[in-house]
Amino acid sequence: MWKSISQVLADQFGAYYLIKEKECVHRGEIHEAWIISDSIQAVFVKANERSYRSMFRAEADQLEMLRKINAFRLPMVYGVGCSSNHSFLLLEALPISQQSSLTEDFGTQLARLHQVSGTKYYGLDFDTWLGSVHQPNKWHASWAKFFSEQRIGWQLQLCKDKGLDFGNIDQIVQSIAKKLAKHNPKPSLLHGNLWIENVCIVNGETATYDPACYWGDRECDLAFSELFEPFPIKFYENYDRTFPIDREGYAERKHIYQLYYLLNFSQRFLGNYVHLTQKTLDKLLER
């Protein structure tokens, strides 16, 4: 694998890349992660079996798509490749600061991303992943249909396949579609996986990574950012100052959007996420 990585980096940088330093920094839910260096240029490596190449390609394409908009800091993509037994994604090794609080302008930057126009439909040209879970993005003209079927219905079925039964899937999907039936937001390009674990401070500015992009309701990004450990209040103030949202409507829809992420976490991690998911679902169905 390392020889293949050196070759991809040599093509990227225009000079032979001899790996002199190599440190495994993470063995996570899906991939191994490494920091390598030729003593000049550090590179972040995600690695897995060859079958994961499509996942790495999708992540690279999303980062490049977000980078073109230039809304906020992202790691540069150096390449995607394979060896005989592995696939890998090569990214800029961000010099992460120990500063824990997000910079105040990150809310403004996210709002600018959401203001970009690109399509009148909801979805994306290719499927993505939310964590380890495949995320279908088939285009739809109806937001209610897209979200109820490809987000809630999809996750409910995956949960059921793993022995987590949250109720009648068809009835839940119909209920969610009904709640969103009159909501037709302008499609925004979403980060899609925007929570505190996927942001950091780099040279005094907020950077983000691990996207799960699609064109959808911008409130989905805000809802996930509030779910577990909300971003600083200044983030939301600056977002609303740049691109105001319907606070009353959002207060109702937020729990619907958070349900998607709770279902995702339930099937991946079980534990208290299952209880929290059922509690959220029960409240939604009561209304």
Side-chain angles (χ1 to χ4, degrees):
M1 178 179 76
W2 301 111
K3 183 177 180 181
S4 299
I5 287 173
S6 291
Q7 183 59 58
V8 172
L9 292 174
D11 293 341
Q12 170 70 27
F13 298 138
Y16 183 67
Y17 190 92
L18 176 62
I19 300 174
K20 295 182 179 179
E21 301 172 32
K22 182 170 56 180
E23 178 186 3
C24 184
V25 294
H26 185 60
R27 285 186 171 91
E29 179 192 359
I30 322 172
H31 313 300
E32 287 190 355
W34 300 74
I35 298 288
I36 62 173
S37 175
D38 64 348
S39 298
I40 300 174
Q41 181 71 53
V43 175
F44 183 77
V45 180
K46 285 187 178 183
N48 213 316
E49 298 173 357
R50 279 183 65 93
S51 59
Y52 284 83
R53 188 184 187 282
S54 60
M55 181 185 284
F56 289 144
R57 182 71 266 166
E59 182 174 348
D61 289 345
Q62 291 170 81
L63 289 169
E64 292 294 352
M65 181 169 54
L66 291 169
R67 176 174 291 281
K68 288 178 181 178
I69 296 173
N70 196 29
F72 39 65
R73 179 73 183 268
L74 298 152
M76 290 188 293
V77 177
Y78 294 146
V80 176
C82 286
S83 65
S84 57
N85 297 314
H86 297 87
S87 59
F88 50 83
L89 170 64
L90 308 176
L91 301 173
E92 174 188 8
L94 296 174
I96 298 175
S97 167
Q98 295 303 310
Q99 178 185 346
S100 58
S101 181
L102 306 186
T103 52
E104 291 185 1
D105 59 351
F106 187 55
T108 301
Q109 292 169 337
L110 181 66
R112 289 174 179 163
L113 169 68
H114 289 166
Q115 286 176 318
V116 172
S117 298
T119 177
K120 61 180 179 179
Y121 299 108
Y122 308 101
L124 197 66
D125 285 335
F126 56 94
D127 290 347
T128 50
W129 278 262
L130 182 59
S132 60
V133 182
H134 182 249
Q135 179 173 264
N137 292 319
K138 182 179 179 181
W139 292 104
H140 274 291
S142 165
W143 172 244
K145 183 175 178 64
F146 176 89
F147 192 82
S148 63
E149 294 181 3
Q150 292 199 73
R151 293 297 178 259
I152 301 302
W154 172 258
Q155 288 287 345
L156 284 168
Q157 186 59 58
L158 292 177
C159 286
K160 189 172 183 178
D161 293 344
K162 292 190 174 183
L164 297 174
D165 191 345
F166 290 106
N168 186 293
I169 294 176
D170 290 339
Q171 290 181 2
I172 295 172
V173 168
Q174 289 172 10
S175 177
I176 295 298
K178 184 176 180 180
K179 292 178 184 297
L180 294 175
K182 296 181 180 179
H183 184 54
N184 298 293
K186 167 187 167 291
S188 294
L189 181 59
L190 307 184
H191 180 285
N193 195 11
L194 192 68
W195 64 311
I196 201 70
E197 294 294 325
N198 287 338
V199 293
C200 62
I201 303 299
V202 176
N203 296 329
E205 61 180 326
T206 303
T208 184
Y209 39 85
D210 287 347
C213 295
Y214 64 99
W215 291 87
D217 186 356
R218 62 194 175 107
E219 293 176 355
C220 292
D221 272 349
L222 297 174
F224 191 28
S225 77
E226 290 187 50
L227 181 55
F228 299 123
E229 182 181 342
F231 289 179
I233 188 64
K234 281 288 187 181
F235 166 85
Y236 301 102
E237 291 176 349
N238 286 339
Y239 183 96
D240 213 38
R241 188 177 296 115
T242 307
F243 195 8
I245 65 172
D246 170 15
R247 282 289 164 187
E248 184 175 349
Y250 172 65
E252 292 293 320
R253 292 184 291 270
K254 174 173 71 173
H255 302 290
I256 298 174
Y257 298 153
Q258 288 177 342
L259 176 63
Y260 173 57
Y261 295 99
L262 288 171
L263 287 165
N264 177 274
F265 273 59
S266 289
Q267 61 159 308
R268 289 162 61 192
F269 306 119
L270 301 175
N272 190 53
Y273 294 117
V274 177
H275 170 74
L276 186 56
T277 299
Q278 189 67 66
K279 183 178 179 181
T280 301
L281 184 55
D282 290 345
K283 286 185 177 180
L284 286 172
L285 296 179
E286 286 173 3
R287 296 174 182 174

